[in-house]
Amino acid sequence: MVKNTVKVSIQSLSIFYDTVQAVKNLTLDIFPNEIFTIIGPANSGKSSLLLTLNRLGEINPSYRKTGTVLLDGENIDTLNVEILRRRVGIVFALPFPLPISIYDNVAYGPRMQGIKKKSILDGIVESALTEAYLWDEVKDRLQSPAMNLSGGQQQRLCIARVLALKPEVIMFDEPTSGLDPISTARVEETLRTLKAHYTIILVTNNVAQAARVGDRTAFLLMGELIELDNTNKLFTAPADKRTDDYITGKFG
Amino acid sequence: MKAQTEQRIAVSILFLCTFLVVVPVLVILIIISMKGVSALTVSFLFDMPQNGMTSGGIFPAILGTVYLVVGAIVFAVPLGVLSAIYLVEYAKDTPLSRLIKLAIVNLAGVPSVVYGLFGLGIFVIFFGFGASILSGSLTLGIMILPVIITASREALESVPKTFRIVSLSLGASKWQTIRHSVLPHAIPGILTGTILGLGRAAGETAPILFTVAAFYLPKLPQSVFDQTMALPYHLYVISTQVPGIPEHTRYGTALVLLLLVLLLNLGAIILRYQFRKKKKW
């Protein structure tokens, strides 16, 4: 089927906050099971783009968008918003565990879907934490507060929390910006293994990270798509001078 | 040197102000306790008043006040918390919603006698509840609603925005988010509002004057449609309206009212402490 070749299709998308335009007429496709990285300096519209894909931007009253986003060929505005957010999960820049136990954090999403049976929840929690490489570290203290975990563990918990939703697309918004190099390496390793089962959209302002993990990379500047190509190509032979300047650190 | 002198003067003034606030409260407490403690006997607390209130106990007034306060809380807390949730989480930020919020804050400053007249007009006469515990509780409830709504709004607004965003991002609906990720963390603040409202409901005389309070009724109320005696009004009556009441009875009644409010507050404070212990951020 044709629709399976594109997971997320963004068509003529513009995003506004009141009168300020954050994303300008963006069109691009994201394929299944790739790591699609988005790079660009601050205020280039990267986060606004992510908040549009699961319609989380709508909770800001000044947010407005034009254009279309398709998930598996379906317009996301016609989907049930709660179901959309389960299919398109997001991991934020800073780990925001809810002030409840580790177990309850991971089980939060499934519980909201109405899953109550403990045996089912136990299974979901264990496999999500395993997939996020956190299970071994927390399996003996699942009932202790999530706030007591270290920063890197909290971020992996947030990944596990999204995995528990059994999403199709996982968006990462600068997931390692608050982490030390070792925690960062673990998160990046997690990203590479997750690729087998999920479509990954990674926003990062760490250019080297995009080069390390991305299959394709898009460079956004002031809300405009400057260049989109295979990561290798974009980093070795960028077509646009501005891309070259950004990845070589001349501005940013 | 100059900075140090200024510092000393500032601290002295701040201390003096605090001292001036604390002293009258302490004096009131001490005088009431000293003059009233001799009246506190089992029969004073649990007997009916006798001989035109000059002897016997004040049990109907104690029970009446407990009924009224509980009634007011049962009415005002759910209504206040739910409307606060609507105002904070759902109402759009329009001039109208801002006006409503401002009006609610200002309602807390309306004199209690106005609430008494309102209760007389609405509950006693219009709804036909008569002078009854129901009318009195509802009137007191209306009076403490602004306090409870304002405290609940502040409690809800102080829950970090990230909790809401995270919850929504995990596929929870807005109501699920409020129910599971906002409200539990707002409960201590809501209870603070409840404590303030409770103390006010227990102590006010004017709102119950026209709506429920009996001058002298030496029997217990049988239903919510009965009148009852209540401590603040009873205190007013025996202090100014009936001659020949022994002094220790008057101060004893005041002391019982104070202790009752203290006891009710203590319950709410313990409850709040239990919830705060769970708060982990």
Side-chain angles (χ1 to χ4, degrees):
Chain A
M1 283 200 303
V2 178
K3 76 169 197 181
N4 280 342
T5 57
V6 175
K7 189 69 193 173
V8 179
S9 178
I10 298 165
Q11 298 170 354
S12 315
L13 177 72
S14 292
I15 302 169
F16 304 85
Y17 294 97
D18 287 326
T19 54
V20 181
Q21 188 166 5
V23 169
K24 292 169 188 162
N25 199 22
L26 184 71
T27 298
L28 58 85
D29 287 339
I30 295 166
F31 303 125
N33 301 94
E34 70 169 339
I35 298 185
F36 187 91
T37 57
I38 302 170
I39 57 170
N43 287 323
S44 53
K46 311 183 298 282
S47 298
S48 298
L49 177 59
L50 293 194
L51 292 178
T52 296
L53 299 188
N54 66 358
R55 290 174 58 192
L56 211 51
E58 291 169 11
I59 62 178
N60 179 344
S62 60
Y63 168 97
R64 190 165 58 80
K65 79 161 194 287
T66 61
T68 317
V69 177
L70 306 178
L71 176 64
D72 283 341
E74 278 185 289
N75 187 331
I76 59 165
D77 292 324
T78 64
L79 297 172
N80 172 305
V81 71
E82 283 94 36
I83 292 172
L84 171 70
R85 287 174 189 160
R86 280 169 211 148
R87 293 175 64 189
V88 183
I90 185 165
V91 176
F92 297 102
L94 293 173
F96 292 125
L98 293 168
I100 48 183
S101 72
I102 294 169
Y103 184 98
D104 289 341
N105 261 281
V106 182
Y108 190 88
R111 276 183 176 142
M112 295 300 117
Q113 293 174 43
I115 300 174
K116 289 198 184 75
K117 232 179 142 192
K118 193 168 179 306
S119 58
I120 298 176
L121 287 173
D122 284 350
I124 293 173
V125 169
E126 177 169 354
S127 67
L129 284 169
T130 307
E131 218 175 349
Y133 294 99
L134 191 59
W135 175 252
D136 289 334
E137 290 164 60
V138 300
K139 64 183 176 202
D140 299 322
R141 46 174 176 146
L142 290 173
Q143 296 308 325
S144 69
M147 295 281 189
N148 291 357
L149 295 173
S150 75
Q153 288 172 328
Q154 287 187 8
Q155 194 57 298
R156 276 178 281 143
L157 177 69
C158 292
I159 295 172
R161 198 165 60 179
V162 170
L163 292 173
L165 302 173
K166 306 207 188 311
E168 298 159 28
V169 180
I170 308 177
M171 308 187 289
F172 293 84
D173 188 359
E174 298 177 14
T176 58
S177 59
L179 300 184
D180 61 89
I182 294 169
S183 302
T184 300
R186 295 208 72 164
V187 170
E188 286 179 6
E189 190 190 318
T190 312
L191 290 180
R192 281 191 210 96
T193 52
L194 290 178
K195 194 177 103 164
H197 304 286
Y198 309 93
T199 301
I200 308 247
I201 305 174
L202 170 69
V203 158
T204 177
N205 52 15
N206 177 344
V207 174
Q209 182 169 62
R212 282 195 297 270
V213 299
D215 292 319
R216 288 193 305 148
T217 297
F219 173 54
L220 290 191
L221 182 63
M222 308 291 284
E224 277 180 89
L225 178 64
I226 304 297
E227 190 166 352
L228 164 61
D229 215 324
N230 288 327
T231 300
N232 275 338
K233 166 82 171 37
L234 188 114
F235 277 92
T236 51
D240 194 290
K241 171 112 184 13
R242 288 166 294 181
T243 313
D244 193 29
D245 287 349
Y246 182 70
I247 60 179
T248 54
K250 290 206 178 102
F251 76 101
Chain B
M1 267 324 275
K2 187 162 166 286
Q4 274 192 358
T5 318
E6 272 179 17
Q7 159 88 356
R8 277 201 201 104
I9 293 172
V11 172
S12 309
I13 291 174
L14 295 176
F15 175 78
L16 198 68
C17 289
T18 312
F19 188 71
L20 285 176
V21 172
V22 171
V23 166
V25 176
L26 277 179
V27 170
I28 290 170
L29 283 177
I30 289 169
I31 291 177
I32 291 178
S33 304
M34 277 169 52
K35 294 194 176 180
V37 74
S38 64
L40 293 191
T41 60
V42 173
S43 72
F44 182 69
L45 294 177
F46 294 107
D47 279 1
M48 296 289 161
Q50 285 155 10
N51 301 327
M53 295 182 268
T54 51
S55 62
I58 56 168
F59 187 57
I62 295 176
L63 198 67
T65 288
V66 170
Y67 283 160
L68 288 174
V69 169
V70 171
I73 293 291
V74 164
F75 166 69
V77 169
L79 195 63
V81 171
L82 294 179
S83 58
I85 290 175
Y86 179 79
L87 287 172
V88 173
E89 306 288 343
Y90 288 100
K92 294 207 167 64
D93 189 28
T94 62
L96 179 66
S97 76
R98 260 173 280 163
L99 185 71
I100 289 172
K101 287 176 190 169
L102 188 69
I104 290 170
V105 172
N106 282 309
L107 273 178
V110 170
S112 56
V113 68
V114 176
Y115 285 106
L117 283 169
F118 171 79
L120 175 69
I122 292 287
F123 302 122
V124 178
I125 297 170
F126 184 75
F127 286 132
F129 297 153
S132 62
I133 293 177
L134 185 61
S135 297
S137 291
L138 291 174
T139 307
L140 288 171
I142 298 269
M143 181 187 73
I144 62 173
L145 258 180
V147 179
I148 288 172
I149 293 176
T150 305
S152 303
R153 268 183 51 210
E154 282 167 6
L156 290 167
E157 279 165 0
S158 69
V159 174
K161 274 230 148 43
T162 52
F163 292 6
R164 295 176 175 83
I165 295 170
V166 164
S167 172
L168 291 171
S169 81
L170 294 173
S173 69
K174 188 155 184 176
W175 170 245
Q176 286 177 321
T177 296
I178 293 166
R179 166 76 187 74
H180 296 280
S181 284
V182 178
L183 205 51
H185 309 300
I187 284 178
I190 291 170
L191 284 173
T192 301
T194 307
I195 291 169
L196 292 172
L198 198 141
R200 200 167 167 217
E204 283 286 353
T205 311
I208 56 173
L209 191 58
F210 316 122
T211 55
V212 53
F215 186 83
Y216 177 47
L217 189 67
K219 68 181 179 71
L220 299 180
Q222 301 301 311
S223 82
V224 293
F225 292 105
D226 284 351
Q227 272 193 289
T228 180
M229 296 177 81
L231 281 170
Y233 184 57
H234 182 63
L235 186 58
Y236 166 74
V237 165
I238 61 175
S239 303
T240 63
Q241 304 296 300
V242 182
I245 306 282
E247 191 188 60
H248 70 268
T249 304
R250 302 201 300 257
Y251 280 99
T253 305
L255 186 58
V256 169
L257 178 56
L258 276 178
L259 291 176
L260 189 69
V261 172
L262 206 67
L263 201 70
L264 290 169
N265 278 354
L266 199 67
I269 289 169
I270 289 170
L271 200 62
R272 182 173 64 179
Y273 176 75
Q274 295 297 328
F275 278 104
R276 278 214 180 129
K277 269 204 311 200
K278 290 193 204 154
K279 189 166 159 172
K280 293 193 185 79
W281 82 87

